[in-house]
Amino acid sequence: MWQRIDPGSAGFAPDLAERLDALVEEGRAPGLHGVVVTRHGRLVLERYGRGEDYAWNAPLGVVDFGPETRHDIRSVTKSVVGLLYGVALAAGLVPEPNEPILRHFPEHADLAADPGRAALTVEHALTMTLGLEWDESAPYTGPENSEIAMEMAEDRYRFVLERPIVEEPGKQWSYSGGAAALVGGLIARGTGRPLEEFARDALFAPLGITSFEWMTGEDGVASAASGLRLAPRDLARIGQAVLDAEVIPASWVAETLRPRVPTWDGFSYGYLWHVGPGERPGSRPGEPSFWRAMAAGNGGQRLFLFPDLDLVVAVTAGAYNAGEQDAAARAVLDEVLLPALTS
């Protein structure tokens, strides 16, 4: 259970909730479903709305969201899987990042006979630098999207590993749900348990997270790319665990959030987490830093970590497949939370 603290005591303007209400009422946070803000490990603010929602592509109708309502977190799932890999690695259950990945999928030895594929390592999957053909630019509604095609495949791992090689691995970041699927497969194989069961016992239960759902593909395997459904409170709990290195080894947190490959506009990718530049573009000395790490999912799902502020912000929204998916989260941060910081 979260211990609550009033905004003033947490270093925010006392009218923080009113500022957020005004943002929503003025229509400047389109599709916002939920916001949870924690600081110093305590709950500062939460707000829930009402709107049309989906579980993957299955319509749920209009939902009245609340503290216990599970929500798709879509590709934020990838970042959770990255944390699970670190927990399994500390227990000696999964290969080190520098190991060849095909060594751990021995049923696909024919693919390992290709020198280009034999060079693929676990780290290439963790950093999305596999160099394999992958396209998620189409809507997540049909097999034109590589992730959806993977979820429909008879063998998701072969589907990923046999994609055409388009560039040398390790050189360039290319967004890939297939990369996360491989990491999820390594966890399941190494622990001898389905991904969702390992997650329940190794991460969720120790953090007090008792309610979750993990969507599966047509093969019945939990989607490591986008299948997790959590309440925003529990999403924030995972973010706080990263800041506190609780359950997740501190050494793995440091490795995960270390910039490893450029993505866009000064941002980077770590191990299945987006890594920020550490300061807001154009900021002046003494101003609040930009997010240090972010997990992001289709529809506007966001988990922001500000380690130097000991601040976690979880956002859920319904802008699935929309052009401006981050509009609500960006407005919450830039127009409400960061301007309201007083310390």
Side-chain angles (χ1 to χ4, degrees):
M1 294 291 291
W2 285 106
Q3 179 184 359
R4 291 180 176 272
I5 184 173
D6 65 86
S9 299
F12 286 97
D15 65 343
L16 181 65
E18 289 77 8
R19 295 188 189 199
L20 181 56
D21 287 343
L23 181 83
V24 174
E25 290 165 5
E26 293 167 10
R28 292 184 286 128
L32 184 66
H33 289 169
V35 176
V36 174
V37 179
T38 71
R39 195 169 194 202
H40 309 314
R42 291 183 285 182
L43 182 62
V44 178
L45 174 70
E46 61 182 337
R47 188 191 195 283
Y48 302 98
R50 184 173 189 268
E52 188 175 3
D53 201 24
Y54 297 81
W56 262 1
N57 292 317
L60 300 176
V62 176
V63 177
D64 289 307
F65 298 97
E68 308 301 326
T69 308
R70 291 193 297 260
H71 197 285
D72 274 17
I73 62 170
R74 300 292 175 103
S75 288
V76 177
T77 304
K78 296 177 174 68
S79 300
V80 176
V81 168
L83 302 179
L84 289 170
Y85 183 87
V87 174
L89 183 65
L93 299 174
V94 292
E96 294 285 341
N98 62 358
E99 290 194 34
I101 199 166
L102 274 161
R103 181 183 300 168
H104 302 278
F105 293 90
E107 69 273 28
H108 302 310
D110 60 312
L111 298 178
D114 179 344
R117 297 181 201 281
L120 296 174
T121 67
V122 177
E123 182 166 83
H124 294 144
L126 288 166
T127 57
M128 294 192 183
T129 59
L130 290 165
L132 301 177
E133 181 182 271
W134 197 266
D135 184 5
E136 295 189 31
S137 61
Y140 291 88
T141 54
E144 299 80 11
N145 183 296
S146 294
E147 181 184 318
I148 301 303
M150 173 184 68
E151 295 297 345
M152 298 172 66
E154 181 177 351
D155 183 335
R156 67 180 57 224
Y157 307 121
R158 186 173 186 89
F159 179 87
V160 179
L161 291 166
E162 70 180 1
R163 295 301 92 198
I165 299 172
V166 294
E167 59 194 5
E168 183 181 351
K171 296 299 183 181
Q172 184 169 329
W173 182 77
S174 179
Y175 191 73
S176 171
L182 294 176
V183 177
L186 291 172
I187 296 169
R189 290 167 182 235
T191 63
R193 308 175 67 190
L195 180 62
E196 65 273 26
E197 290 186 10
F198 180 71
R200 179 192 63 205
D201 295 340
L203 182 63
F204 297 158
L207 296 180
I209 297 171
T210 59
S211 176
F212 73 96
E213 182 180 3
W214 211 312
M215 312 289 281
T216 64
E218 293 190 5
D219 56 1
V221 175
S223 170
S226 64
L228 188 55
R229 289 173 55 79
L230 287 170
R233 275 187 182 182
D234 291 334
L235 183 57
R237 188 72 189 85
I238 291 172
Q240 190 65 50
V242 175
L243 293 192
D244 297 341
E246 180 186 359
V247 181
I248 307 146
S251 58
W252 184 252
V253 171
E255 289 297 302
T256 294
L257 304 187
R258 181 160 67 85
R260 295 176 182 276
V261 57
T263 53
W264 69 89
D265 295 338
F267 295 90
S268 302
Y269 208 62
Y271 281 162
L272 295 178
W273 279 76
H274 298 277
V275 182
E279 61 181 24
R280 304 177 70 192
S283 65
R284 299 186 299 274
E287 287 188 336
S289 68
F290 202 75
W291 52 265
R292 178 68 176 84
M294 177 185 71
N298 185 4
Q301 324 318 318
R302 298 290 186 270
L303 177 59
F304 299 104
L305 308 184
F306 300 77
D308 58 338
L309 299 175
D310 200 6
L311 173 67
V312 175
V313 181
V315 176
T316 55
Y320 305 109
N321 295 316
E324 290 290 329
Q325 296 184 21
D326 66 341
R330 190 171 63 245
V332 169
L333 280 186
D334 294 344
E335 299 185 42
V336 176
L337 295 179
L338 296 182
L341 278 168
T342 60
S343 68

